Amino acid sequence: MGGLGRVSTETRLRGIRLGSTEFTWFLAATMSMAALGVDVMLPAFGAIREGFGLAPDSTEVARLVTAYFMGLAVGQVFYGPIADYFGRKRTLALAGVLYGIGAVASALSPTIGVLLAARFFWGLGAAGSRVIVGAIVRDVYEGDQMAKALSLVFSIFILVPVIAPALGALILRVTSWQMIFGFCAFWAVGVLAWSRRLPETLAPEKRLADLTFARLKVAARFVVTNRITFGYTAALAVLFGAFTSYLASSEIMFSEIFGVVEAFPYFFGGLAAVMGVAMFVNGRIVVRVGMVRLTRLTMRAYIAASAVFMVWILMEDGRPPLWGFVGGMAVILAIHALLIPNLNSRALEPMGSVAGMAAAIVGTVSTLIGALLGAVLDARFDGTLRPFAIALFAAAVIASFIVHQAEAGARNQV
């Protein structure tokens, strides 16, 4: 896979320049830290239930995903200003250390309560990777080129949910579920070692002069009062809520509804591969079509696809054939994958002067609200796909309405 094109001169440091291809792969590896903390553990849910004496059909383990995402959300708001003050590299080092500690603590947890706390702490570390990648891309690219860059990073990053569940199942077959968490700590060490080759992308003149509350308040107000940024962030939150529910409940959906246990990692990975292809396609067409127009078109497709999916699920009384479900989810997740890089890029586009803070707030709001919405949906699991299908359609309609209002409001302000 090719790189992101010409990397700006701000990616030079001490005469060393990362090639554009290595730059792309590094960003993808960094971003993958957050996804790895969820996807690699999904096949271990059964072993975790058994290890802590939970019922085989218990949805309690879904809280491990929610706790992680809560930490991911809360942490981002702190990393934004830290990254704008100290720079991207130092902040990434801090995040990597916290990530590793959280992974090791999770592996050593004696009770489910301690594990939930460790997962929250782990999420705090993972938050840094999300913020730093968004800020670095915003440092180097603008407009449609930024959407193209994020799409290419996402298309490599998506290899994590493709491979991670099968990798987790392999580790589980050889050893214990605790070693799955140990592998995540090892990944963080590798990213930190690689980051030594990364030049500092934040120009000195763009750094925050200080970290006083008043200055941070001004920057935050600039972010939340921008109609485009706030609107697209809200749309991301709604869509992330539905996606979080899919992540947290996918294992029990496949096992309880379809009786698929051993093959679950391959179904999950196959659907993730579909998302990766869609993100790669987005990177190829977004510059030609335009970010705003492409978002509008894919939003309409999302509503149509989720409406058909919902009606079909209801007609099947919430228990459709396996291959029909997989096919429907492939279409919906592909459209979802087309949307996410463009929604992120559009939200950050007006925020060049406070890129770190903007990436933090966009990430915090979308992840926190999404995690809470996902937890509500998880709790409504009734042994069928009815609640999930209805939630997908509702999320598509609400997100589309929010984006339309944001663009209309922005046009009226001009």
Side-chain angles (χ1 to χ4, degrees):
M1 183 176 297
L4 300 179
R6 184 174 298 277
V7 181
S8 80
T9 55
E10 289 181 0
T11 63
R12 296 179 182 272
L13 183 68
R14 298 189 181 95
I16 299 174
R17 175 172 177 168
L18 257 67
S20 59
T21 299
E22 183 183 356
F23 184 63
T24 306
W25 281 90
F26 170 78
L27 293 180
T30 302
M31 180 173 282
S32 71
M33 290 170 63
L36 192 68
V38 174
D39 298 327
V40 76
M41 65 173 281
L42 294 178
F45 274 3
I48 294 173
R49 289 189 189 99
E50 183 179 348
F52 290 108
L54 302 174
D57 61 347
S58 173
T59 59
E60 181 80 3
V61 291
R63 294 171 60 194
L64 298 178
V65 176
T66 302
Y68 182 84
F69 279 134
M70 293 291 284
L72 190 69
V74 172
Q76 289 180 71
V77 75
F78 297 103
Y79 285 111
I82 291 173
D84 282 343
Y85 182 75
F86 289 106
R88 314 313 189 199
K89 289 191 66 174
R90 290 183 180 180
T91 308
L92 178 58
L94 170 65
V97 170
L98 294 180
Y99 183 98
I101 293 173
V104 172
S106 296
L108 300 177
S109 296
T111 66
I112 190 69
V114 174
L115 179 55
L116 287 169
R119 288 286 292 171
F120 177 83
F121 188 84
W122 188 350
L124 291 177
S129 64
R130 288 278 297 271
V131 172
I132 295 304
V133 170
I136 288 175
V137 171
R138 185 60 187 86
D139 288 341
V140 178
Y141 299 97
E142 295 180 353
D144 292 342
Q145 290 295 330
M146 182 171 60
K148 177 181 179 181
L150 277 177
S151 292
L152 288 174
V153 170
F154 272 120
S155 66
I156 300 173
F157 151 81
I158 209 68
L159 290 173
V160 173
V162 172
I163 298 172
L167 177 62
L170 177 61
I171 295 173
L172 190 62
R173 188 172 293 120
V174 175
T175 179
S176 65
W177 63 264
Q178 288 91 341
M179 290 306 298
I180 293 177
F181 295 159
F183 173 80
C184 293
F186 177 77
W187 186 276
V189 172
V191 169
L192 289 182
W194 196 356
S195 71
R196 293 175 62 85
R197 289 179 50 77
L198 175 72
E200 176 57 62
T201 60
L202 180 63
E205 64 272 14
K206 291 186 177 181
R207 296 194 182 198
L208 286 179
D210 52 62
L211 279 174
T212 63
F213 178 77
R215 187 176 184 88
L216 298 181
K217 185 178 179 181
V218 170
R221 185 184 298 117
F222 179 58
V223 171
V224 299
T225 57
N226 184 280
R227 188 130 187 185
I228 290 294
T229 300
F230 193 77
Y232 274 76
T233 300
L236 278 167
V238 173
L239 294 180
F240 188 68
F243 186 66
T244 300
S245 178
Y246 164 71
L247 284 179
S249 300
S250 58
E251 180 263 349
I252 200 168
M253 286 179 184
F254 277 96
S255 62
E256 292 296 314
I257 297 175
F258 301 110
V260 175
V261 178
E262 294 294 327
F264 162 68
Y266 306 107
F267 281 109
F268 186 89
L271 289 172
V274 170
M275 295 182 69
V277 171
M279 287 182 177
F280 180 75
V281 170
N282 183 77
R284 295 293 183 181
I285 66 176
V286 65
V287 175
R288 188 179 311 162
V289 178
M291 180 167 50
V292 175
R293 185 183 175 210
L294 185 57
T295 298
R296 185 168 61 249
L297 294 173
T298 48
M299 276 292 188
R300 292 172 182 171
Y302 207 159
I303 292 175
S306 60
V308 172
F309 185 76
M310 177 186 67
V311 171
W312 179 62
I313 293 296
L314 294 178
M315 290 176 61
E316 294 287 341
D317 200 26
R319 289 178 170 270
L322 172 61
W323 288 106
F325 168 72
V326 172
M329 286 303 300
V331 173
I332 290 173
L333 290 176
I335 299 171
H336 182 90
L338 286 172
L339 280 172
I340 298 307
N342 298 327
L343 292 175
N344 268 291
S345 297
R346 183 63 170 143
L348 293 174
E349 189 175 21
M351 298 289 115
S353 60
V354 286
M357 175 65 78
I361 292 179
V362 169
T364 295
V365 173
S366 62
T367 306
L368 181 60
I369 295 178
L372 292 173
L373 288 174
V376 171
L377 294 176
D378 295 337
R380 295 186 65 83
F381 179 76
D382 61 357
T384 75
L385 293 173
R386 285 190 297 261
F388 176 66
I390 293 171
L392 278 179
F393 175 68
V397 172
I398 294 171
S400 181
F401 175 77
I402 293 172
V403 167
H404 175 76
Q405 291 298 110
E407 292 291 348
R411 286 194 296 270
N412 292 336
Q413 288 178 345
V414 177

